[in-house]
Amino acid sequence: MMNYGETIERIYQQLLLEKNYGQVAGYIPELATVDSDKFGVCLINRENNCFSAGDWQEQFSIQSIIKVITLSLAYQKLDAQLWQRVGVEPSGTPFNNLSRLEHDFGIPRNPFSNAGAIVVCDVLMELFSDPREVVISMLRTLAADKGIDYTEAIAASEKSEGYRNMALAYFMKSMGNIKHEVEDVLDFYFDVCSIAVNCEQLARIFMYLAKHGRSADDQHSYLSRGQAKRINAIMLTCGFYDEAGDFAFRVGLPGKSGVGGGIVAVMPGEFSLAVWSPRLNEKGNSYRGLRFLEHFTDATEITIF
Ligand code: GLN
């Protein structure tokens, strides 16, 4: 078995010596208060062993990483029907881009742009009477941790400044691709983005994508094998917005980032790896998180390519 622990520790120490670049996400006021030099790593392998370094037990805001979970829940229920409301093509644009959405008549290019994730939230509100409970219980079950929860202060903070997301949602409403009241859909979207996790919880949660749709303990099935393949493919092609190509090029794994500074990457059949470092590059992805993952797949030679 691969000794991930040594490799993680070595790269972690090496990156601590390097200058850390980027800014924390200032557009969500509550996120701007986070200590920008936090750095945590946790890998869970298929035998369920945990290898970690740094601030891996500290909680941070999941932000856009939740889009994978909400997508999985909608896809599990609707299967291919879901693609009538949202596409699966990389956008080549930032996560909050407006202009492409008008060009695409209110059908977002993919579920990991903000517009796409807002549509998925609208879909979940149609599918479940208490979608907040469905989302949080999926996370709690996968992480085997009942403590995972929403963070009201983060959700309220994002809502107070969320004009861009409102613009996206109202435009899609005008095109008939949002069925519920825009305010209610956005409240739900901001809530799911606000959930707090640490690196270990995040790595455990994403094991279902390393295990082809099944939970690490094999007790729960979330996606069929074919569906898990497709979600991993969307992570690879769209998980990092207009930096998705660069992520595939440098890291070579499906993954998803969030503006809280988290990144999770998955090696199907092998492991799930979560990294957290709040300073973001100009594309909104964790600078140090990306560096870590690039070094990690170079060193271990474990990549999907
Ligand atoms: N909640 C954030 C937003 O809507 C999520 C963006 C992200 O993490 N990239 O702007």
Side-chain angles (χ1 to χ4, degrees):
M1 189 186 73
M2 184 95 194
N3 189 350
Y4 294 115
E6 259 172 42
T7 312
I8 287 174
E9 188 58 30
R10 182 173 51 74
I11 300 170
Y12 178 83
Q13 293 300 337
Q14 181 187 333
L15 289 184
L16 279 185
L17 300 175
E18 280 182 19
K19 185 168 161 44
N20 194 6
Y21 291 93
Q23 306 294 330
V24 298
Y27 76 97
I28 301 176
E30 193 71 17
L31 285 186
T33 63
V34 172
D35 179 347
S36 59
D37 288 315
K38 291 283 177 188
F39 183 23
V41 182
C42 183
L43 181 149
I44 306 288
N45 70 1
R46 62 168 178 228
E47 287 85 22
N48 234 358
N49 299 313
C50 170
F51 304 88
S52 53
D55 303 311
W56 59 286
Q57 284 168 308
E58 229 173 282
Q59 295 212 303
F60 57 90
S61 191
I62 196 166
Q63 293 299 320
S64 282
I65 300 171
I66 199 63
K67 294 171 180 174
V68 183
I69 303 299
T70 48
L71 174 65
S72 297
L73 285 165
Y75 192 31
Q76 176 193 73
K77 288 267 180 209
L78 293 184
D79 204 31
Q81 223 187 310
L82 179 62
W83 313 131
Q84 292 169 8
R85 305 269 307 266
V86 58
V88 295
E89 287 298 333
S91 67
T93 55
F95 60 85
N96 56 6
N97 177 270
L98 272 163
S99 55
R100 168 86 15 117
L101 191 60
E102 185 172 21
H103 185 264
D104 293 338
F105 305 103
I107 309 289
R109 278 278 160 122
N110 68 67
F112 295 154
S113 64
N114 285 9
I118 291 167
V119 168
V120 169
C121 282
D122 187 56
V123 168
L124 292 183
M125 289 168 71
E126 218 165 303
L127 291 174
F128 301 105
S129 58
D130 190 354
R132 281 173 182 75
E133 182 55 34
V134 174
V135 171
I136 208 74
S137 68
M138 176 166 170
L139 300 183
R140 288 173 181 164
T141 305
L142 284 170
D145 191 333
K146 292 193 167 57
I148 298 177
D149 219 337
Y150 294 94
T151 315
E152 269 173 48
I154 301 261
S157 174
E158 182 165 11
K159 191 177 173 183
S160 73
E161 301 272 333
Y163 308 117
R164 180 72 75 110
N165 286 323
M166 290 174 205
L168 292 166
Y170 278 111
F171 178 70
M172 291 191 290
K173 179 87 180 167
S174 80
M175 300 302 287
N177 200 17
I178 292 287
K179 314 289 180 199
H180 298 84
E181 289 304 320
V182 165
E183 284 225 350
D184 296 340
V185 180
L186 286 176
D187 276 352
F188 178 42
Y189 170 75
F190 293 140
D191 281 351
V192 294
C193 288
S194 81
I195 292 168
V197 285
N198 62 31
C199 290
E200 181 184 353
Q201 291 164 337
L202 195 56
R204 288 196 188 282
I205 289 164
F206 272 75
M207 274 310 282
Y208 79 103
L209 289 170
K211 296 210 110 182
H212 310 291
R214 300 190 69 84
S215 60
D217 62 7
D218 219 39
Q219 296 296 304
H220 305 268
S221 173
Y222 288 95
L223 298 170
S224 70
R225 214 177 160 100
Q227 288 175 329
K229 173 188 85 175
R230 288 174 174 81
I231 301 272
N232 276 323
I234 306 172
M235 288 208 288
L236 182 78
T237 53
C238 311
F240 298 80
Y241 323 109
D242 46 342
E243 201 170 29
D246 203 50
F247 188 82
F249 176 75
R250 287 169 57 188
V251 179
L253 293 175
K256 185 73 201 83
S257 63
V259 292
I263 299 182
V264 61
V266 168
M267 178 66 201
E270 200 60 43
F271 64 68
S272 162
L273 170 54
V275 187
W276 171 53
S277 170
R279 286 182 191 265
L280 309 177
N281 65 19
E282 64 290 348
K283 308 284 190 186
N285 300 316
S286 169
Y287 169 80
R288 203 168 240 178
L290 261 160
R291 299 264 312 149
F292 181 91
L293 291 167
E294 180 176 25
H295 282 303
F296 183 82
T297 52
D298 278 342
T300 56
E301 299 180 352
I302 299 181
T303 140
I304 62 165
F305 297 109

